[in-house]
Amino acid sequence: MVGKTKPADMVIEAYGHGQRTFGENYVQELLEKASNPTILSSCPEIKWHFIGHLQKQNVNKLMAVPNLFMLETVDSVKLADKVNSSWQKKGSPERLKVMVQINTSGEESKHGLPPSETIATVEHIKTSCPSLEFVGLMTIGSFGHDLSQGPNPDFQVLLRLRQELCEKLSIPVEQVELSMGMSGDFQHAVSVLARRPKGAG
Protein backbone atom coordinates (compact mmCIF):
# COMPACT_ATOMS: atom_id res chain seq x y z
CA MET A 1 0.00 0.00 0.00
CA VAL A 2 1.33 3.45 -0.94
CA GLY A 3 0.62 5.82 1.93
CA LYS A 4 1.77 9.12 0.42
CA THR A 5 -0.36 12.10 1.52
CA LYS A 6 -2.44 9.73 3.68
CA PRO A 7 -2.64 10.64 7.40
CA ALA A 8 -1.24 8.44 10.13
CA ASP A 9 -4.68 7.28 11.28
CA MET A 10 -5.33 5.76 7.83
CA VAL A 11 -2.04 3.85 8.05
CA ILE A 12 -3.03 2.58 11.48
CA GLU A 13 -6.48 1.58 10.21
CA ALA A 14 -4.97 -0.35 7.27
CA TYR A 15 -2.49 -2.01 9.64
CA GLY A 16 -5.42 -3.06 11.82
CA HIS A 17 -6.90 -4.83 8.77
CA GLY A 18 -3.70 -6.82 8.25
CA GLN A 19 -1.66 -4.56 5.93
CA ARG A 20 2.03 -4.62 6.89
CA THR A 21 3.89 -3.15 3.90
CA PHE A 22 3.61 0.58 3.17
CA GLY A 23 5.39 2.65 0.53
CA GLU A 24 6.30 6.33 0.56
CA ASN A 25 7.66 8.61 -2.19
CA TYR A 26 9.18 11.42 -0.15
CA VAL A 27 11.90 11.05 2.48
CA GLN A 28 10.61 13.76 4.82
CA GLU A 29 7.04 12.48 4.74
CA LEU A 30 8.23 8.92 5.37
CA LEU A 31 10.44 10.00 8.27
CA GLU A 32 7.64 11.95 9.92
CA LYS A 33 5.07 9.20 9.43
CA ALA A 34 7.32 6.32 10.49
CA SER A 35 8.43 8.29 13.57
CA ASN A 36 4.85 9.05 14.62
CA PRO A 37 4.56 7.79 18.23
CA THR A 38 1.13 6.27 17.63
CA ILE A 39 2.32 4.36 14.55
CA LEU A 40 5.42 3.19 16.42
CA SER A 41 3.32 1.86 19.30
CA SER A 42 0.34 0.55 17.30
CA CYS A 43 2.16 -0.93 14.30
CA PRO A 44 5.21 -2.84 15.60
CA GLU A 45 5.46 -5.10 12.52
CA ILE A 46 5.13 -2.35 9.90
CA LYS A 47 7.52 -2.52 6.93
CA TRP A 48 8.30 0.75 5.17
CA HIS A 49 9.39 0.78 1.53
CA PHE A 50 10.89 3.91 0.01
CA ILE A 51 9.70 4.08 -3.59
CA GLY A 52 10.70 7.60 -4.65
CA HIS A 53 13.87 8.97 -6.18
CA LEU A 54 16.57 9.14 -3.50
CA GLN A 55 19.08 11.96 -3.69
CA LYS A 56 22.45 11.30 -2.09
CA GLN A 57 22.09 14.22 0.33
CA ASN A 58 18.96 12.55 1.79
CA VAL A 59 20.48 9.11 2.38
CA ASN A 60 21.29 9.64 6.07
CA LYS A 61 17.81 11.02 6.71
CA LEU A 62 16.23 7.97 5.06
CA MET A 63 18.44 5.57 7.02
CA ALA A 64 17.05 7.09 10.23
CA VAL A 65 13.50 5.94 9.37
CA PRO A 66 12.22 3.45 11.97
CA ASN A 67 11.24 0.06 10.49
CA LEU A 68 12.71 0.85 7.07
CA PHE A 69 12.50 -2.45 5.21
CA MET A 70 13.33 -1.80 1.57
CA LEU A 71 14.74 0.86 -0.75
CA GLU A 72 13.28 0.26 -4.21
CA THR A 73 15.13 2.94 -6.13
CA VAL A 74 18.90 2.40 -6.14
CA ASP A 75 19.96 3.86 -9.48
CA SER A 76 23.76 4.14 -9.30
CA VAL A 77 26.81 2.47 -7.82
CA LYS A 78 27.62 5.68 -5.92
CA LEU A 79 24.18 5.72 -4.32
CA ALA A 80 24.51 2.04 -3.38
CA ASP A 81 27.87 2.75 -1.72
CA LYS A 82 26.47 5.69 0.26
CA VAL A 83 23.41 3.73 1.39
CA ASN A 84 25.61 0.78 2.38
CA SER A 85 27.92 3.02 4.43
CA SER A 86 25.05 4.84 6.13
CA TRP A 87 23.21 1.60 6.96
CA GLN A 88 26.43 0.16 8.42
CA LYS A 89 26.76 3.19 10.70
CA LYS A 90 23.20 2.66 11.86
CA GLY A 91 24.29 -0.73 13.18
CA SER A 92 21.16 -2.62 12.16
CA PRO A 93 21.44 -6.39 12.59
CA GLU A 94 19.52 -6.89 9.32
CA ARG A 95 20.74 -6.03 5.85
CA LEU A 96 18.66 -3.40 4.05
CA LYS A 97 16.76 -4.85 1.12
CA VAL A 98 17.27 -2.91 -2.11
CA MET A 99 15.95 -2.98 -5.65
CA VAL A 100 17.83 -1.57 -8.61
CA GLN A 101 15.82 0.90 -10.68
CA ILE A 102 16.11 0.57 -14.45
CA ASN A 103 15.05 3.24 -16.94
CA THR A 104 13.60 0.80 -19.46
CA SER A 105 11.92 3.50 -21.54
CA GLY A 106 15.05 5.64 -22.00
CA GLU A 107 13.09 8.79 -21.17
CA GLU A 108 15.21 11.62 -19.77
CA SER A 109 12.40 12.53 -17.37
CA LYS A 110 12.72 9.16 -15.62
CA HIS A 111 15.31 8.05 -13.12
CA GLY A 112 17.09 4.72 -13.25
CA LEU A 113 20.05 2.97 -14.79
CA PRO A 114 20.27 2.28 -18.49
CA PRO A 115 19.61 -1.46 -19.02
CA SER A 116 23.23 -2.02 -20.11
CA GLU A 117 24.49 -1.14 -16.60
CA THR A 118 22.18 -3.52 -14.73
CA ILE A 119 24.46 -6.52 -14.32
CA ALA A 120 27.54 -4.52 -13.27
CA THR A 121 25.53 -2.56 -10.69
CA VAL A 122 23.90 -5.64 -9.18
CA GLU A 123 27.27 -7.41 -9.08
CA HIS A 124 28.77 -4.40 -7.26
CA ILE A 125 25.98 -4.46 -4.65
CA LYS A 126 26.38 -8.20 -4.08
CA THR A 127 30.20 -8.08 -3.81
CA SER A 128 30.95 -4.64 -2.34
CA CYS A 129 27.91 -3.65 -0.25
CA PRO A 130 27.74 -6.18 2.59
CA SER A 131 25.03 -4.27 4.45
CA LEU A 132 22.64 -4.39 1.48
CA GLU A 133 20.59 -7.31 0.19
CA PHE A 134 19.77 -7.16 -3.50
CA VAL A 135 16.23 -8.46 -3.96
CA GLY A 136 15.06 -7.30 -7.36
CA LEU A 137 14.65 -4.89 -10.26
CA MET A 138 12.09 -2.14 -10.68
CA THR A 139 10.91 0.12 -13.47
CA ILE A 140 8.18 2.67 -13.93
CA GLY A 141 8.05 2.34 -17.70
CA SER A 142 6.55 4.76 -20.18
CA PHE A 143 3.14 6.19 -19.39
CA GLY A 144 0.09 5.69 -21.57
CA HIS A 145 1.13 2.57 -23.45
CA ASP A 146 -1.69 1.43 -25.76
CA LEU A 147 -2.39 -2.10 -24.58
CA SER A 148 -4.16 -2.88 -27.87
CA GLN A 149 -0.69 -2.76 -29.45
CA GLY A 150 0.50 -5.61 -27.23
CA PRO A 151 2.37 -5.90 -23.92
CA ASN A 152 4.25 -2.86 -22.64
CA PRO A 153 7.79 -3.26 -24.05
CA ASP A 154 9.28 -1.74 -20.89
CA PHE A 155 7.93 -4.60 -18.80
CA GLN A 156 9.25 -7.11 -21.31
CA VAL A 157 12.70 -5.47 -21.15
CA LEU A 158 12.71 -5.93 -17.37
CA LEU A 159 11.78 -9.60 -17.75
CA ARG A 160 14.65 -10.13 -20.18
CA LEU A 161 17.07 -8.24 -17.95
CA ARG A 162 16.18 -10.48 -15.02
CA GLN A 163 16.79 -13.58 -17.10
CA GLU A 164 20.15 -12.28 -18.32
CA LEU A 165 21.16 -11.15 -14.84
CA CYS A 166 20.32 -14.49 -13.29
CA GLU A 167 22.26 -16.39 -15.95
CA LYS A 168 25.35 -14.17 -15.70
CA LEU A 169 25.48 -14.03 -11.88
CA SER A 170 24.09 -17.53 -11.18
CA ILE A 171 21.11 -16.27 -9.20
CA PRO A 172 17.90 -18.33 -9.06
CA VAL A 173 15.20 -16.43 -10.95
CA GLU A 174 12.74 -16.80 -8.08
CA GLN A 175 15.11 -14.80 -5.87
CA VAL A 176 14.85 -11.68 -8.06
CA GLU A 177 11.60 -9.77 -7.57
CA LEU A 178 10.21 -7.42 -10.21
CA SER A 179 8.43 -4.16 -9.41
CA MET A 180 6.73 -2.80 -12.52
CA GLY A 181 4.18 -0.14 -13.30
CA MET A 182 2.09 2.33 -11.39
CA SER A 183 -1.51 2.42 -10.15
CA GLY A 184 -2.87 2.66 -13.69
CA ASP A 185 -1.00 -0.27 -15.22
CA PHE A 186 -0.05 -2.67 -12.45
CA GLN A 187 -2.69 -5.18 -13.58
CA HIS A 188 -1.06 -5.22 -17.01
CA ALA A 189 2.35 -5.72 -15.38
CA VAL A 190 0.96 -8.76 -13.56
CA SER A 191 -0.44 -10.14 -16.81
CA VAL A 192 2.95 -9.75 -18.52
CA LEU A 193 4.54 -11.80 -15.76
CA ALA A 194 1.83 -14.42 -16.05
CA ARG A 195 2.38 -14.73 -19.81
CA ARG A 196 6.16 -15.18 -19.68
CA PRO A 197 7.34 -18.29 -21.51
CA LYS A 198 8.23 -21.43 -19.62
CA GLY A 199 11.82 -21.38 -18.47
CA ALA A 200 11.89 -17.59 -18.39
CA GLY A 201 11.63 -17.50 -14.61
Side-chain angles (χ1 to χ4, degrees):
M1 173 182 168
V2 178
K4 62 179 180 179
T5 74
K6 302 295 189 295
D9 58 351
M10 288 186 71
V11 172
I12 293 167
E13 182 180 358
Y15 185 94
H17 288 285
Q19 183 70 31
R20 292 294 180 268
T21 300
F22 294 82
E24 290 287 343
N25 280 63
Y26 301 105
V27 174
Q28 188 60 39
E29 185 176 356
L30 172 54
L31 183 58
E32 291 173 4
K33 205 171 286 183
S35 302
N36 180 294
T38 308
I39 288 181
L40 283 170
S41 61
S42 304
C43 311
E45 296 176 2
I46 198 166
K47 296 176 179 178
W48 291 106
H49 287 223
F50 185 70
I51 58 177
H53 174 61
L54 179 60
Q55 297 176 308
K56 286 194 277 292
Q57 66 262 30
N58 288 329
V59 167
N60 289 339
K61 186 184 289 187
L62 179 65
M63 297 302 102
V65 168
N67 299 307
L68 180 65
F69 184 75
M70 187 184 296
L71 167 58
E72 293 196 16
T73 52
V74 172
D75 59 4
S76 72
V77 165
K78 287 183 178 179
L79 180 61
D81 286 339
K82 189 165 180 61
V83 170
N84 179 69
S85 175
S86 186
W87 192 253
Q88 278 180 336
K89 290 174 185 171
K90 183 175 180 175
S92 174
E94 303 288 334
R95 291 186 295 164
L96 178 64
K97 297 180 187 298
V98 298
M99 285 188 151
V100 172
Q101 182 176 7
I102 312 299
N103 185 347
T104 51
S105 64
E107 295 170 275
E108 290 185 8
S109 61
K110 295 224 170 56
H111 298 288
L113 288 163
S116 61
E117 295 179 19
T118 304
I119 293 173
T121 302
V122 172
E123 189 170 29
H124 177 84
I125 291 171
K126 291 179 73 66
T127 60
S128 302
C129 299
S131 292
L132 306 183
E133 180 185 355
F134 168 74
V135 296
L137 304 173
M138 73 84 70
T139 190
I140 293 173
S142 56
F143 297 125
H145 173 70
D146 182 356
L147 298 183
S148 70
Q149 302 300 310
N152 189 321
D154 294 318
F155 299 163
Q156 293 183 309
V157 166
L158 205 66
L159 274 169
R160 288 197 299 270
L161 277 175
R162 177 172 67 172
Q163 189 67 25
E164 183 181 353
L165 172 74
C166 291
E167 289 172 0
K168 291 280 179 64
L169 300 184
S170 300
I171 305 171
V173 171
E174 61 271 15
Q175 290 182 13
V176 180
E177 300 176 30
L178 295 181
S179 175
M180 307 191 295
M182 305 286 277
S183 302
D185 59 3
F186 77 93
Q187 290 175 314
H188 173 59
V190 171
S191 72
V192 170
L193 279 172
R195 274 201 303 268
R196 69 190 188 274
K198 289 182 179 179

